[in-house]
Amino acid sequence: MKKFFRLIFITVTLLSLLCMVAILLGYRQRESVFISELHYCDSTICYLGIVPGITTWDKALPLIRQTTQLDALDDLAHTYGHKEPAYTVGFLVGGDQDTPIEININLTSAKVYAGDLITKFGNPCYVVSFTDGLLGLGYPNALFTVPTHRLTPFSLIDHVVLLRDKQNACPPVWPPGSLVVDGWQGFITYPVQK
């Protein structure tokens, strides 16, 4: 009988320790952060509902100004700082001041992960290898750059470029002359362009 209670005590103690370890590991997991302003508008990735090449600057500016997370950083109000997560977003507006033709998001201060990107937007159309050690994950109107050739779900995205989606499909590789890996091959080490 004494052995039976000893066995129960040891079993309960081990199960308690395993539960404590599981709880501690759960608390240590990173919190998923993604840019909430970045989402699909129909089949095009947009920022705050602003679609490059389609939304006029007159319609975009009120959307930007009513977003309390954004503060203007320059006199022309084309560059903004986002508070949480911290990043900078710039709008390249056409010469006629009519339409944002490109949206650039600098994420070097934020922790946005490639795994969260894939979860939100699906697999990219293609992967581009740059000579300076970057990978670009290409979507029909967007390019997300990662500062490494070994792509994992925890690779940090450091820059986003949204362009006008002229074809509503994956475009020819952008920028031209980049080394392309044929389509999305998953989380692997991609070749380096020489």
Side-chain angles (χ1 to χ4, degrees), residues 82-135:
H82 192 275
K83 295 174 188 163
E84 189 58 41
Y87 62 84
T88 304
V89 60
F91 298 87
L92 178 61
V93 180
D96 58 2
Q97 298 292 312
D98 187 29
T99 307
I101 54 175
E102 187 175 297
I103 300 172
N104 290 284
I105 304 170
N106 184 338
L107 296 168
T108 54
S109 301
K111 291 194 177 207
V112 177
Y113 297 96
D116 296 330
L117 167 71
I118 303 299
T119 300
K120 185 162 185 172
F121 295 115
N123 293 342
C125 302
Y126 59 87
V127 178
V128 178
S129 175
F130 297 99
T131 54
D132 54 1
L134 294 174
L135 279 181

Side-chain angles (χ1 to χ4, degrees), residues 20 72 153:
M20 285 178 25

Side-chain angles (χ1 to χ4, degrees), residues 44-166:
T44 302
I45 298 174
C46 60
Y47 184 85
L48 285 174
I50 301 167
V51 180
I54 295 175
T55 308
T56 63
W57 188 243
D58 290 343
K59 291 184 180 174
L61 201 51
L63 294 171
I64 295 165
R65 288 184 176 153
Q66 73 186 16
T67 304
T68 57
Q69 287 277 4
L70 292 175
D71 292 322
L73 298 178
D74 73 357
D75 294 337
L76 297 175
H78 287 47
T79 306
Y80 297 84
H82 192 275
K83 295 174 188 163
E84 189 58 41
Y87 62 84
T88 304
V89 60
F91 298 87
L92 178 61
V93 180
D96 58 2
Q97 298 292 312
D98 187 29
T99 307
I101 54 175
E102 187 175 297
I103 300 172
N104 290 284
I105 304 170
N106 184 338
L107 296 168
T108 54
S109 301
K111 291 194 177 207
V112 177
Y113 297 96
D116 296 330
L117 167 71
I118 303 299
T119 300
K120 185 162 185 172
F121 295 115
N123 293 342
C125 302
Y126 59 87
V127 178
V128 178
S129 175
F130 297 99
T131 54
D132 54 1
L134 294 174
L135 279 181
L137 305 176
Y139 288 82
N141 74 311
L143 187 71
F144 296 81
T145 61
V146 178
T148 180
H149 281 277
R150 186 175 183 275
L151 187 63
T152 72
F154 304 105
S155 297
L156 291 172
I157 297 168
D158 66 354
H159 199 86
V160 181
V161 179
L162 299 181
L163 302 166
R164 181 177 184 161
D165 182 9
K166 297 176 182 167

